[in-house]
Amino acid sequence: MIKSISQFLAVVISFTFVSVSNAQVDIFPEPANDNNPVHTGDCIPQSEMAAIAKNFKQFSNIANREFCNDDSQTWHLLSSLMFMRQTKFAETMTPSEDELFSGKFAHGWYDYFVGRINKLEIVSNCQKGVIAYVYMWGNTMYTCPMALTNSFSSLDRASVMMHEARHIDGFPHITCSKGARQGLQGACDDRISKGGSYAVTVETYAQLSKYAEGIHPALKAYAKSSAIVYADEAFEIPVKIHRAEKLLALTNTQDFHSMDMETKEIKTLGKAPALGHIVRRGQHMILFPEDKTLKAGYVFSHDEGGLEQSPSDMVTDYNAQTPEEKAKLIDLHIGAQWSARVYGDSVKFLCDPRSPSETTLSLPNGLTASSLVYPEGYARDKYSVVLSTVSGDLLEVGCANKRAYVKASSVVLDQPYKRIQKAGGVVLGLTATGDLFQIEQGRSTPVTTDLQGTIVDITPQESFRFFE
Ligand SMILES: [Zn+2]
């Protein structure tokens, strides 16, 4: 009996990120700088080609020569296989004390994959957002064109391929009944300890971040955030993760600092590539520079460097705009299944992860937007955010039953804020003059620190014991 197709990871990648985009799906452009240590020279030697063709007969006709990066679909398939073949990990990979990394899938990725998949087929008519899928009775992995471009990294593809291979062992997905992916078909597994395909996704990203050797620090940081996003969002039973949260502050000297919420102790971290506004996409941070001639992109706080890869189609579109056009985007919220782009007098919503259709709503009463604030904290599974306006009026913007709305907010504040974030259970407000306040029941109390007057943005930042 033919059973369901498992297109899940693919679908989920789409659902995870599509909310920021009006195009097909989120993309992970391959870093233009040489972040990928595996394919130095960008050619696969003939010996490797021959070895791969032993497992994948489809490459037999090109197994007698080296294969160099020609940006073809074949190249992207081969380079992902090479990533699995050649990425080196620490000799000892100790499991985490929590549920992030059991090590169950730690060894021999390539052997694991070829034990289940022996054919890679490229399909052109993929459903929106799908990047790869398998039929659980088969040994073919179907790959969609969007995964086979420079906009997707070998690291991501290797994780996807391991995920798909796991389906062959008899692990389908279920519809999420709660959380960030509530209602999304095939976007959840029951619990991570069962070791299904999403467990493989979490484990592969966690392993790459913690134990891979020779991987660029920014890619490692990216893999860490990806592991946590899947752990937090793709399981019905919450994954146990030892974690702590601080406030991350960006100051006008382009320095990142963290602030402990209990002791208010400040620690200097790394440099930012530019001043600007940090927008969260789950664990990922995207910096929108103040200098509109610069590109928005992933940002990391501990001097990991940058990634050329674009965080999403929406960011790619933004980066293609003129500085004047870019300046019109005032703020951006990225939820798990929706997004809101804030302009001066309107908000553009994407409320349905399965549809590219956008809704633009004007702000009422001639109000002008100033920024999004998070008095209850940034949460991927919530469907509304508070929009602060130039006049100080607060609005609630969001999606209800996939319909966009703007209405007066019930939040009351005693003074205007440029940002409000919650970190470690504490609500903090940042004023336009760079001062911090603690906010309790709408009342503000100054928080005095050495950074007073210098902070340009704040956002919560978690740390995880396994990655420390
Ligand atoms: Zn899947």
Side-chain angles (χ1 to χ4, degrees):
M1 178 71 190
I2 289 174
K3 282 200 77 178
S4 72
I5 304 174
S6 58
Q7 344 179 280
F8 316 106
L9 182 70
V11 170
V12 160
I13 280 199
S14 136
F15 286 140
T16 309
F17 309 126
V18 77
S19 52
V20 295
S21 140
N22 58 5
Q24 284 289 303
V25 96
D26 192 75
I27 51 176
F28 301 81
E30 184 102 355
N33 47 4
D34 194 17
N35 281 342
N36 186 337
V38 174
H39 319 294
T40 36
D42 259 359
C43 286
I44 300 168
Q46 188 273 326
S47 57
E48 285 293 304
M49 289 298 298
I52 288 171
K54 272 191 190 145
N55 300 115
F56 299 91
K57 299 282 177 267
Q58 66 198 90
F59 300 122
S60 297
N61 60 335
I62 51 171
N64 60 351
R65 58 176 174 90
E66 71 169 6
F67 195 102
C68 293
N69 185 356
D70 56 0
D71 196 24
S72 64
Q73 293 180 329
T74 301
W75 164 258
H76 292 298
L77 286 177
L78 287 168
S79 65
S80 307
L81 293 171
M82 285 295 285
F83 187 91
M84 285 196 274
R85 285 174 67 77
Q86 296 203 336
T87 301
K88 296 272 185 290
F89 294 99
E91 228 158 81
T92 309
M93 290 188 267
T94 310
S96 66
E97 292 166 18
D98 52 25
E99 292 187 304
L100 260 184
F101 181 71
S102 72
K104 254 187 263 178
F105 307 96
H107 298 283
W109 285 6
Y110 183 76
D111 289 340
Y112 181 86
F113 187 71
V114 299
R116 286 147 189 84
I117 306 284
N118 56 28
K119 192 176 174 202
L120 306 172
E121 192 169 316
I122 299 164
V123 280
S124 54
N125 56 339
C126 289
Q127 193 187 328
K128 180 191 170 185
V130 175
I131 56 170
Y133 58 91
V134 295
Y135 296 89
M136 285 166 72
W137 66 87
N139 300 101
T140 301
M141 188 180 89
Y142 299 88
T143 311
C144 302
M146 67 143 301
L148 299 172
T149 64
N150 274 328
S151 59
F152 217 82
S153 79
S154 295
L155 180 144
D156 288 314
R157 269 193 297 262
S159 178
V160 168
M161 288 160 96
M162 289 292 288
H163 171 113
E164 296 302 332
R166 188 57 171 160
H167 283 309
I168 305 293
D169 294 336
F171 289 88
H173 297 305
I174 55 176
T175 302
C176 312
S177 75
K178 54 182 184 292
R181 299 177 175 189
Q182 183 173 23
L184 289 182
Q185 198 182 353
C188 276
D189 285 351
D190 178 29
R191 58 172 75 220
I192 196 167
S193 59
K194 287 192 178 168
S197 283
Y198 283 122
V200 170
T201 301
V202 173
E203 298 242 355
T204 46
Y205 278 123
Q207 183 177 336
L208 284 164
S209 181
K210 172 90 175 175
Y211 294 122
E213 290 172 354
I215 302 254
H216 192 284
L219 269 180
K220 287 196 147 200
Y222 164 83
K224 172 172 82 175
S225 295
S226 298
I228 302 294
V229 169
Y230 283 103
D232 283 347
E233 300 186 357
F235 297 92
E236 287 283 273
I237 312 291
V239 177
K240 290 190 194 80
I241 304 173
H242 296 310
R243 60 210 298 167
E245 193 172 48
K246 292 184 178 180
L247 186 76
L248 183 72
L250 174 62
T251 52
N252 56 16
T253 49
Q254 280 179 231
D255 290 298
F256 282 115
H257 308 263
S258 71
M259 182 197 269
D260 186 288
M261 284 301 99
E262 271 175 42
T263 62
K264 302 290 189 287
E265 190 195 336
I266 305 268
K267 201 177 147 195
T268 303
L269 307 176
K271 280 273 178 195
L275 291 179
H277 177 33
I278 298 159
V279 172
R280 297 286 299 266
R281 192 191 71 202
Q283 291 294 329
H284 298 285
M285 297 193 297
I286 304 167
L287 181 70
F288 286 79
E290 270 170 25
D291 178 349
K292 299 302 172 192
T293 63
L294 302 176
K295 286 181 173 180
Y298 286 117
V299 66
F300 306 98
S301 58
H302 290 71
D303 282 331
E304 290 95 335
L307 290 179
E308 283 298 312
Q309 63 194 82
S310 172
S312 73
D313 283 2
M314 190 253 134
V315 177
T316 305
D317 292 347
Y318 174 87
N319 286 337
Q321 293 177 338
T322 64
E324 292 72 28
E325 287 169 328
K326 283 182 186 166
K328 289 179 187 163
L329 182 70
I330 286 172
D331 210 338
L332 166 66
H333 173 81
I334 307 172
Q337 298 188 49
W338 72 290
S339 70
R341 274 169 276 175
V342 177
Y343 300 94
D345 58 358
S346 67
V347 182
K348 193 184 274 187
F349 296 86
L350 273 164
C351 286
D352 183 353
R354 291 176 196 275
S355 159
S357 73
E358 300 175 336
T359 306
T360 299
L361 297 179
S362 298
L363 301 191
N365 312 322
L367 291 172
T368 304
S370 65
S371 66
L372 294 170
V373 292
Y374 296 90
E376 292 178 6
Y378 169 77
R380 291 260 292 168
D381 58 348
K382 274 190 205 146
Y383 284 86
S384 69
V385 287
V386 178
L387 174 59
S388 142
T389 63
V390 171
S391 60
D393 295 272
L394 298 176
L395 299 169
E396 180 182 323
V397 303
C399 297
N401 299 317
K402 296 185 178 137
R403 290 190 66 131
Y405 71 89
V406 176
K407 65 180 190 185
S409 170
S410 57
V411 171
V412 178
L413 298 169
D414 59 354
Q415 64 178 66
Y417 284 104
K418 176 181 169 185
R419 309 272 180 249
I420 299 175
Q421 295 282 6
K422 191 174 177 181
V426 179
V427 180
L428 291 148
L430 174 69
T431 63
T433 53
D435 296 309
L436 274 185
F437 289 82
Q438 186 163 336
I439 306 169
E440 286 169 296
Q441 272 122 37
R443 295 214 188 111
S444 306
T445 318
V447 178
T448 312
T449 73
D450 292 347
L451 306 179
Q452 209 161 340
T454 67
I455 304 174
V456 297
D457 206 1
I458 54 172
T459 190
Q461 185 174 49
E462 288 186 284
S463 58
F464 310 92
R465 199 186 294 170
F466 177 62
F467 295 113
E468 295 288 283

